[in-house]
Amino acid sequence: MYIKTDVTSLKLLQQTRLSENLTNQSISKLSTGLEFNSVSDNSTSLLVSNRLKSLSNVSQKALENVHYALDLLTTMNAGASVIKDMLQRLRTLTIQNQNGSLSTSDQKAMQQEFSQLLTSIDQISKSTSYNNIRPINNSALKFNGADSYVEFGQILGDLDTSSHTFDATFTVDKLPTSGRSVVMGFQGFHHGFQVSTEGSLVFETWFDYPSGVTDSFKLETKDGFIKEGETYQAIATLDTKNKMIHLYVNGNEIGSGKSFPNGGTLYEYSTADYGHLRLGMGNTPDALWAFPLNGSIESARVYSEALSSKQISANYSGNTTQDSLAAEWIASNAWGNTMYDTANVYNGTFLNNVQLQNGNLKVRSGASEEDVSKFNLTNLSSKGLGLYSLSINDSDAIEKIDTALNTLTTEQNRIGSLSEFFTFRQDSLEKTINSSKSAYQDVQNVDTFKELSSISKEQIKLQTSLSLLEKNNVHKETTMKLLQQ
C-alpha cells in the first residue's frame, strides 16, 4: 500500500496563487490608471504602445520641421513681393525717362531714384532672413570635381606666419575616391580645408623647423563625419600668441585644439611657390596635389586674427564678425566669371566652368528617406535678376526689367506651390499625431470595467479554490484516521 501525490491539492493551490496574482495585477492597474506597470503585464501590447509613442514623437518633430519650412517660404514670399514692387517702379521710371520733354533735372532725379532702387533691391535680398538663412540671396559656386576652381593668385600670404582664421561654408556632393578634395587653401594641401575619401574633414598646415625640415600638421574629424549633400561651416584658427590651432565645424569645436609642435614655425607662403589661394582645388588641373572638389561653396573668409569661440558662434549663427576681416567671398556677390571680395580688393577668377547655382534646403517631414523634401532657395539680388550695373538710359533696360519681373513671378509661383505642398503635409502630420496619440491612450490607459470584472471573477475563483482545498484537507484527515484504526 502507498499514498499517491495529492494532485487535487496541488491544482487548487496553483489556482489560488494564479487568482491572487491576477487580482493584485488588476489592483495595480486600477491604482495607477495604466494598462502596463511591468513588462509581464502584456508584452505584445507594450510593444505596440511604444511604437505608437515613437510614431507620435517622430511626427511631432517632422511637424516642427514643416512649420519651419512654411515660415521660411512665407519670409521668401514677403521679400519677393517687396522686390516685385521695386521692379514695377523701375519699369515705370524707365518708360518715363523716354519722354523727350523731360528737363535735365527731371532725368537726373529719375536716374538717382533708379540707382537707389537697385541698391534697395540688394539690401532687401540680403536683409530678408529666417533663422540665419537668407532665402532670396542664396547662391553657391558649383565645382565639377574635375578641373573647375577659383583662382585668387598670391594674395594674403603675408598672414601665413601670424595669427589668422580660415572660414568656409561648403557642401560635398561626392566624396573623393582617391586622394582628397580641397575646399579652400593655399596651393596643394599646404594650408587649408580638405575632405578625405573616408569622409573626414581635415585642416592641414605646415611647419618649418631649424633643421631645415618642413612637415605637415593636421587637425581632423572622425571618418564618416562629412556626409554627401550636407552643408558645413568649417573654421580653423591659428593663434601664434598662444601657439594653438583649433578646428570648428558648425560652431562646435572638434576636440580641444593642438599646440604648435616644439621648435616649429608656421610655413611662410608669401615667398613660396605655394602661395596661390584657391577655392575648389589645390593646384592647377592635372598637376600634383590638385585634389578637385565635387561640390559647392557658399562663402569663404580670411581673418587677420584668431577668432574667439564667441566670434565663431556668431559667424555660424549668421552674425558675421567684421573685426579683423581681411577678405570675404560670398557666392551671391559673384558676377560673370569673377568672385568678388566684399571690399572689392581680393577678387578671384572662375576657371574651367565654375557654375553659380542657388542653394537648397532639406526638410525631413517623416522617419524615412522618402520623407525628405529638398527645394532650392533663390537669388533675387540685382545680380541674380540680371540687373547689376543697369542704367535707366540703357537701350535694353525695359527688356531686362521685364525678364527680371518674369523671373520673380516664376519664383513666387514656385514658392506658392511649395507652400501648398507643405500645408498638405502639415495637415497629414497633424492627423497622424492625433490618431497615434489617441491609439496610444487607448492601449496605455486601463480598462476600469474590465479590471473590476477581472477582480470579481478571480475573487470567486479564489474563494472556490480555498473552499475546495479546505474540504479536500478534511477528506484527507478523515481518510488518515480510518487508516490508523
Side-chain angles (χ1 to χ4, degrees), residues 113-128:
E113 185 181 353
F114 190 93
S115 300
Q116 182 57 50
L117 281 169
L118 287 177
T119 301
S120 297
I121 286 174
D122 286 337
Q123 290 173 343
I124 293 297
S125 68
K126 290 178 181 178
S127 62
T128 300

Side-chain angles (χ1 to χ4, degrees), residues 230-435:
E230 298 293 331
T231 300
Y232 302 90
Q233 183 188 44
I235 297 180
T237 64
L238 295 94
D239 184 349
T240 56
K241 180 180 178 181
N242 297 302
K243 297 187 180 302
M244 290 290 295
I245 300 179
H246 297 272
L247 175 63
Y248 299 80
V249 180
N250 294 346
N252 299 312
E253 184 169 8
I254 304 300
S256 55
K258 282 188 177 182
S259 300
F260 285 13
N262 291 332
T265 56
L266 286 168
Y267 187 82
E268 188 173 353
Y269 293 94
S270 58
T271 59
D273 293 334
Y274 301 112
H276 285 251
L277 182 65
R278 297 186 176 95
L279 297 180
M281 188 177 293
N283 205 341
T284 55
D286 301 323
L288 289 174
W289 313 307
F291 303 136
L293 171 69
N294 188 335
S296 58
I297 298 176
E298 294 180 13
S299 64
R301 299 177 182 87
V302 177
Y303 290 85
S304 59
E305 295 289 345
L307 296 186
S308 67
S309 58
K310 184 177 180 180
Q311 290 173 316
I312 289 168
S313 296
N315 272 26
Y316 180 62
S317 67
N319 301 313
T320 304
T321 301
Q322 298 299 314
D323 293 343
S324 72
L325 182 61
E328 178 183 46
W329 303 281
I330 300 175
S332 298
N333 291 337
W335 179 254
N337 67 340
T338 301
M339 182 67 164
Y340 285 98
D341 172 23
T342 300
N344 201 24
V345 176
Y346 301 112
N347 298 330
T349 302
F350 293 174
L351 294 172
N352 302 325
N353 201 33
V354 176
Q355 298 290 320
L356 187 64
Q357 65 178 22
N358 290 331
N360 58 69
L361 188 72
K362 285 184 177 180
V363 179
R364 181 177 287 278
S365 57
S368 69
E369 286 298 324
E370 296 177 353
D371 294 322
V372 176
S373 303
K374 183 177 179 180
F375 63 90
N376 289 333
L377 303 177
T378 188
N379 186 356
L380 299 182
S381 66
S382 63
K383 291 177 180 176
L385 292 169
L387 302 178
Y388 183 66
S389 73
L390 185 68
S391 169
I392 195 172
N393 296 314
D394 290 346
S395 59
D396 59 350
I398 288 290
E399 181 182 351
K400 286 187 174 181
I401 293 171
D402 284 345
T403 299
L405 279 167
N406 289 335
T407 298
L408 194 144
T409 300
T410 300
E411 284 301 311
Q412 285 190 302
N413 290 337
R414 185 176 68 89
I415 292 169
S417 297
L418 287 168
S419 297
E420 187 175 12
F421 166 77
F422 282 112
T423 298
F424 285 138
R425 187 64 182 143
Q426 174 184 251
D427 293 342
S428 174
L429 285 168
E430 287 175 347
K431 290 177 182 177
T432 299
I433 291 170
N434 290 334
S435 61

